[in-house]
C-alpha cells in the first residue's frame, strides 16, 4: 500500500488516473470509428456531406436573418415618356403603292397623269362626294343650332341669376329705408312727451303703460323697449352690410346685405307690432272711459299702424327675394351642379360637334392623296369611271424600311407615326422615318400572324443600300411633362393600380409633402450617406436599397397612363420626387448579387450594377 503524504497529492493522482482512462477510451473509440469508416467508405462520405450541408444551412439561415428584408426604392421623376414598338427588316427601294379611295362612287376629278412627280399631300383623284358634303352641311347647321340653344340656356340661367341679384338688392334697400322710417316713428311715439290726459309731461311709452296700468302695462313697456333696442342694433348692422354693395356686386355680397336687411326688417316689424298693439289698447281704454283722445295720439296711432303694415310687407318680399337668390347661388355656384336645361343643351351641342367630325372624316374618304413624295407610274381611271379599286400607282425612288410586326404591335401602329431607324452595317447612323403603309390583312405562318409595315425615310443617305438590315423603333404614344415611375413599381388588382410610396424615412434627396417627416442623414441614422454623396453621387431618379425596418411604406391607388417596357406614367396618385418601392429583397445574398463596390466620383461605397446608390442601416 503506497504512503499518502497529504490530501493534495492524493487528489492529483486520482485526476491523472481519470484523465488517462478518458483519453484511453477516446483513443479506442476513434480507432474503432476509423476502422468502421475504412470498411464503409460510401456511408462515411454520405455522413460527412450531410454534416457539412447542415452546418452551412444553419449558418446561411442566421446570416440572412441578421441581414433583414430590404426595399429597392426609386424617386418618381417628371419628363417625357414614349411608348414604342420595335421591329427589324430590310431596306427596300422603289416603293410601289396603289392608291384607292376609301369610298366608292363616280370619279369626278383626276389631277395627275403617268410620269407626274408629286409630293406628299397632292390630290390624286376625287370621287363624287355630293352626299358626304350634304351630310357635312347638315351637321354644321345642326351644330350652329346647338350652339345657339346652348348659349340661350346659359344666358337664360345667367339672366335669372342677375334678376335674382337685382330683386334681392332692391328689396333689401327698400327694407332698410322703411326700417329707418319706422324707427324714427317709434322714437317720436315712444320717447317724446305725451299729451294724453292725466299723463302729461311723461314719455309716450310711460304714458301708455300708465293708461294700461298694473303689471300688464309694465310688461308691455319692457317688451317694447327691448324690441326697439334690438331693431336699432339690427338696423345699424344692415347699414354696415350695405356699405360698398351695389346691384352689380357679387351674389355673395348681395346675399349678405339681404340677410342683414331681413333681420333688421323682422326686428323692426316686431317692435312696431308690439307698439301698435299697446297703443290700440290705450285707444280702446280711453274711448271706454269717455276721455278726450288727443289728435296727436290719433296721428301717432295711424302712423304706427301704417308702419306695421309696411314692415310686414317688406319682410315678406325680402324673404321671397332672398330665397330666390340663395337658390340661384346654390344652382350655379355652391352645389357645383348645372341646371337641367343647360345640361340638355350641352349634351345636344356635344352630339352636334361629334356629328360634324364624323361628317368631315367621311368626306375625306372621297379624296385620294399621295402619302409620300414619288412618281405616278400609271393612272387607272378617268373622270366618270366608277372607282371600285386602285385609281393610280405611286412609286418612290428613295429607300424605305420594310419590316414585319406581330399582331399585338401592329394594332398600335398607325400611318404618320414617327420612327427611328438604325443599321447594322453603318455604325452611328440614325435616320428618322414616317409610317407610310400598313397591311390591312396579315400573313399567317405556323399559327403566327404578322403584318408588313413600310417606313419612308425622312432623309436619304447614300451609304444605305437595298437589302441592308434595318432596326426600327416606332413611337406609338408620347406624353410630355409626365410623372414617371419604373413599371415594376406598379401593381394592378381587380382593375385598380397601386404603388407603394415611402411616406416616412425617405432619403432627403427630394422634397415633397409626404417627406416632411423623413429622417435626416447621419452617421448613425437609417441612411448613412454623406452630404457630398447626396449632392454629386446620384440623380433625382437614383435607385436605392433600404432596410424595410427603417422606412414606412403606404399602398397608394394610382391612375396610370402611357407605358413602355420599363416605365409607366402616373396620371394621379403621387407627385414627382416621391420614393416608390420597385422590388423587395430578403437576406444579404440577394442584395449582394445586385451590387458592386465602386470608388471615385461617388465617394466610394456600394452601388447597384446599374450605377445606383445602395443604403443600409448603420452604413
Amino acid at each position: 500500500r503506497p504512503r499518502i503524504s497529504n490530501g493534495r497529492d492524493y487528489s492529483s493522482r486520482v485526476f491523472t488516473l481519470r484523465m488517462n482512462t478518458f483519453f484511453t477510451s477516446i483513443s479506442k473509440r476513434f480507432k474503432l470509428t476509423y476502422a468502421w469508416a475504412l470498411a464503409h467508405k460510401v456511408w462515411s462520405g454520405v455522413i460527412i456531406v450531410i454534416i457539412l450541408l447542415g452546418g452551412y444551412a444553419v449558418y446561411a439561415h442566421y446570416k440572412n436573418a441578421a441581414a433583414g428584408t430590404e426595399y429597392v426604392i426609386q424617386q418618381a421623376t417628371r419628363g417625357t415618356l414614349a411608348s414604342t414598338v420595335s421591329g427589324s427588316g430590310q431596306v427596300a427601294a422603289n416603293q410601289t403603292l396603289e392608291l384607292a379611295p376609301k369610298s366608292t362612287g363616280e370619279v369626278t376629278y383626276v389631277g395627275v397623269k403617268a410620269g407626274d412627280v408629286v409630293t406628299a399631300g397632292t390630290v390624286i383623284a376625287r370621287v363624287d362626294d355630293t352626299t358626304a358634303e350634304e351630310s357635312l352641311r347638315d351637321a354644321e347647321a345642326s351644330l350652329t343650332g346647338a350652339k345657339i340653344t346652348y348659349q340661350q340656356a346659359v344666358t337664360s340661367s345667367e339672366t335669372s341669376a342677375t334678376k335674382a341679384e337685382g330683386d334681392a338688392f332692391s328689396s333689401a334697400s327698400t327694407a332698410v329705408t322703411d326700417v329707418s322710417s319706422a324707427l324714427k316713428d317709434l322714437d317720436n311715439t315712444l320717447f317724446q312727451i305725451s299729451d294724453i290726459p292725466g299723463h302729461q309731461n311723461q314719455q309716450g311709452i310711460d304714458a301708455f303703460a300708465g293708461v294700461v296700468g298694473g303689471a300688464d302695462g309694465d310688461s308691455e313697456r319692457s317688451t317694447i323697449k327691448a324690441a326697439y333696442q334690438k331693431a336699432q342694433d339690427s338696423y345699424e348692422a344692415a347699414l354696415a352690410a350695405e356699405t360698398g354693395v351695389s346691384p352689380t356686386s357679387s351674389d355673395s355680397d348681395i346675399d349678405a346685405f339681404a340677410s342683414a336687411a331681413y333681420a333688421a326688417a323682422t326686428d323692426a316689424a316686431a317692435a312696431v307690432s308690439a307698439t301698435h298693439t299697446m297703443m290700440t289698447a290705450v285707444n280702446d281704454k280711453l274711448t271706454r272711459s269717455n276721455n278726450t283722445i288727443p289728435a296727436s295720439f290719433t296721428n301717432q296711432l295711424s302712423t304706427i299702424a301704417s308702419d306695421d303694415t309696411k314692415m310686414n310687407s317688406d319682410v315678406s318680399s325680402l324673404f321671397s327675394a332672398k330665397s330666390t337668390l340663395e337658390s340661384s347661388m346654390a344652382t350655379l355656384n355652391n352645389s357645383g351642379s348645372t341646371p337641367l336645361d343647360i345640361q340638355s343643351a350641352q349634351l345636344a351641342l356635344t352630339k352636334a360637334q361629334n356629328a360634324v367630325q364624323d361628317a368631315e372624316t367621311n368626306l375625306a374618304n372621297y379624296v385620294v392623296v399621295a402619302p409620300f413624295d414619288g412618281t405616278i407610274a400609271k393612272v387607272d381611271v378617268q373622270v366618270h369611271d366608277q372607282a371600285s379599286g386602285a385609281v393610280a400607282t405611286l412609286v418612290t425612288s428613295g429607300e424605305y424600311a420594310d419590316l414585319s410586326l406581330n399582331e399585338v404591335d401592329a394594332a398600335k401602329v398607325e400611318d404618320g407615326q414617327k420612327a427611328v431607324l438604325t443599321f447594322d452595317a453603318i455604325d452611328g447612323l440614325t435616320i428618322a422615318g414616317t409610317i407610310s403603309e400598313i397591311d390591312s390583312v396579315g400573313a399567317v405562318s405556323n399559327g403566327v400572324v404578322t403584318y408588313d409595315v413600310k417606313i419612308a425615310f425622312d432623309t436619304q443617305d447614300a451609304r444605305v443600300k437595298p437589302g441592308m438590315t434595318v432596326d426600327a423603333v416606332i413611337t406609338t404614344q408620347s406624353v410630355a411633362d409626365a410623372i414617371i415611375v419604373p413599371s415594376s413599381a406598379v401593381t394592378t388588382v381587380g382593375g385598380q393600380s397601386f404603388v407603394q410610396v415611402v411616406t416616412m424615412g425617405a432619403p432627403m434627396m427630394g422634397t415633397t409633402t409626404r417627406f416632411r417627416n423623413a429622417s435626416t442623414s447621419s452617421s448613425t441614422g437609417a441612411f448613412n450617406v454623406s452630404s457630398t454623396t447626396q449632392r454629386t453621387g446620384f440623380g433625382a431618379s437614383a435607385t436605392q436599397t433600404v432596410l424595410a425596418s427603417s422606412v414606412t411604406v403606404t399602398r397608394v391607388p394610382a391612375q396610370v397612363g402611357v407605358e413602355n417596357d420599363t416605365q409607366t406614367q402616373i396620371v394621379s396618385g403621387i407627385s414627382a420626387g416621391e420614393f416608390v418601392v420597385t422590388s423587395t429583397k430578403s437576406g444579404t445574398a440577394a442584395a449582394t448579387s445586385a451590387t458592386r463596390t465602386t470608388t471615385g466620383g461617388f465617394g466610394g461605397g456600394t452601388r447597384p450594377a446599374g450605377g445606383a446608390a445602395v443604403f443600409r442601416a448603420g452604413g
Side-chain angles (χ1 to χ4, degrees):
R1 177 176 181 180
R3 181 175 61 86
I4 299 176
S5 61
N6 54 52
R8 179 176 295 179
D9 184 48
Y10 174 76
S11 298
S12 176
R13 289 174 177 275
V14 171
F15 175 76
T16 300
L17 180 61
R18 288 181 176 176
M19 290 300 295
N20 288 337
T21 303
F22 172 74
F23 282 116
T24 300
S25 175
I26 292 297
S27 177
K28 288 181 179 180
R29 290 180 180 274
F30 176 78
K31 290 178 179 180
L32 290 174
T33 301
Y34 181 72
W36 185 89
L38 290 177
H40 304 83
K41 294 180 180 179
V42 175
W43 280 106
S44 298
V46 172
I47 293 172
I48 291 172
V49 170
I50 292 174
I51 292 174
L52 291 175
L53 290 177
Y56 178 78
V58 172
Y59 166 78
H61 170 76
Y62 285 103
K63 184 177 180 181
N64 288 340
T69 300
E70 294 175 326
Y71 290 140
V72 178
I73 63 175
Q74 184 170 328
Q75 274 187 306
T77 59
R78 187 178 291 279
T80 299
L81 178 62
S83 178
T84 60
V85 169
S86 300
S88 297
Q90 279 71 45
V91 176
N94 295 323
Q95 178 181 359
T96 301
L97 179 65
E98 293 186 341
L99 305 177
K102 295 181 180 180
S103 298
T104 60
E106 181 182 351
V107 177
T108 59
Y109 169 80
V110 177
V112 296
K113 63 182 182 298
D116 285 352
V117 177
V118 297
T119 59
T122 300
V123 176
I124 305 301
R126 291 181 184 273
V127 176
D128 184 8
D129 56 3
T130 303
T131 302
E133 286 184 342
E134 291 176 351
S135 298
L136 177 59
R137 181 193 61 203
D138 293 344
E140 290 174 338
S142 298
L143 176 59
T144 301
K147 289 180 178 178
I148 294 173
T149 301
Y150 174 74
Q151 188 58 47
Q152 287 176 339
V154 172
T155 301
S156 175
S157 179
E158 292 175 347
T159 300
S160 299
T162 301
K163 184 177 184 304
E165 293 170 356
D167 291 345
F169 180 83
S170 177
S171 297
S173 298
T174 299
V176 169
T177 300
D178 290 346
V179 168
S180 176
S181 177
L183 290 175
K184 289 179 181 179
D185 293 339
L186 287 175
D187 183 74
N188 292 331
T189 300
L190 299 175
F191 304 111
Q192 302 301 319
I193 300 301
S194 172
D195 56 359
I196 292 178
H199 299 279
Q200 289 88 348
N201 299 323
Q202 289 183 326
Q203 286 186 335
I205 190 169
D206 294 329
F208 301 156
V211 173
V212 173
D216 290 342
D218 293 338
S219 176
E220 291 185 20
R221 175 170 52 192
S222 297
T223 299
I224 291 173
K225 283 186 174 182
Y228 174 82
Q229 186 58 52
K230 185 178 180 182
Q232 187 69 41
D233 294 342
S234 297
Y235 171 67
E236 292 176 357
L239 289 179
E242 186 180 19
T243 303
V245 179
S246 69
T248 59
S249 296
S250 66
D251 49 11
S252 58
D253 289 341
I254 294 176
D255 181 62
F257 172 43
S259 297
Y262 179 73
T266 301
D267 293 341
V272 169
S273 179
T275 302
H276 185 206
T277 298
M278 188 178 192
M279 292 181 69
T280 299
V282 169
N283 186 71
D284 291 344
K285 196 164 187 178
L286 291 176
T287 299
R288 288 195 299 271
S289 301
N290 294 320
N291 288 324
T292 301
I293 300 176
S296 60
F297 176 81
T298 300
N299 292 336
Q300 290 174 342
L301 178 58
S302 176
T303 298
I304 295 300
S306 176
D307 289 341
D308 194 7
T309 301
K310 185 183 299 182
M311 293 313 305
N312 286 329
S313 175
D314 286 343
V315 169
S316 177
S317 61
L318 189 53
F319 177 80
S320 177
K322 183 173 176 298
S323 298
T324 301
L325 176 61
E326 291 176 348
S327 176
S328 174
M329 290 170 61
T331 299
L332 297 179
N333 299 319
N334 298 337
S335 68
S337 62
T338 305
L340 290 178
D341 54 345
I342 295 182
Q343 292 185 40
S344 177
Q346 176 66 67
L347 179 59
L349 177 59
T350 301
K351 288 183 176 180
Q353 291 171 335
N354 293 338
V356 169
Q357 292 178 356
D358 293 342
E360 289 174 342
T361 300
N362 184 51
L363 182 61
N365 292 336
Y366 290 82
V367 181
V368 181
V369 298
F372 50 80
D373 298 349
T375 303
I376 300 297
K378 64 176 181 177
V379 177
D380 298 308
V381 295
Q382 298 179 351
V383 175
H384 303 309
D385 285 350
Q386 290 294 318
S388 57
V391 297
T393 301
L394 178 65
V395 177
T396 178
S397 57
E399 289 90 358
Y400 66 93
D402 189 0
L403 56 146
S404 296
L405 297 179
N406 62 51
E407 56 186 319
V408 175
D409 289 343
K412 304 175 184 177
V413 174
E414 299 177 357
D415 287 344
Q417 290 177 342
K418 305 301 293 184
V420 175
L421 307 172
T422 56
F423 307 86
D424 292 350
I426 308 174
D427 291 338
L429 177 61
T430 298
I431 293 179
T434 304
I435 304 297
S436 61
E437 183 182 349
I438 306 170
D439 278 357
S440 57
V441 178
V444 181
S445 176
N446 297 324
V448 178
V449 182
T450 59
Y451 292 80
D452 283 344
V453 175
K454 291 181 173 61
I455 304 176
F457 291 3
D458 291 351
T459 59
Q460 298 293 324
D461 191 295
R463 292 173 293 174
V464 178
K465 307 299 182 184
M468 285 186 174
T469 300
V470 58
D471 296 317
V473 177
I474 304 167
T475 300
T476 58
Q477 284 182 292
S478 180
V479 58
D481 197 33
I483 296 174
I484 305 170
V485 300
S487 296
S488 60
V490 181
T491 59
T492 301
V493 179
Q496 173 64 59
S497 296
F498 299 90
V499 292
Q500 294 188 84
V501 179
V502 180
T503 53
M504 289 190 67
M508 299 301 288
M509 297 180 65
T511 302
T512 66
T513 54
R514 281 203 178 103
F515 297 159
R516 289 177 181 170
N517 294 324
S519 63
T520 57
S521 299
S522 68
S523 60
T524 58
F527 301 94
N528 186 16
V529 186
S530 68
S531 59
T532 301
T533 302
Q534 288 186 26
R535 279 198 309 273
T536 63
F538 317 105
S541 62
T543 300
Q544 304 174 27
T545 302
V546 299
L547 283 175
S549 60
S550 67
V551 297
T552 299
V553 173
T554 302
R555 189 168 181 247
V556 178
Q559 180 184 353
V560 301
V562 174
E563 303 175 57
N564 59 28
D565 292 340
T566 60
Q567 296 176 312
T568 298
Q569 176 197 9
I570 302 298
V571 178
S572 64
I574 67 170
S575 303
E578 293 191 87
F579 281 88
V580 297
V581 176
T582 61
S583 63
T584 302
K585 296 181 180 181
S586 297
T588 302
T592 302
S593 65
T595 65
R596 69 172 183 265
T597 300
T598 61
T599 60
F602 286 84
T606 306
R607 298 177 56 202
V614 176
F615 301 85
R616 293 191 177 84

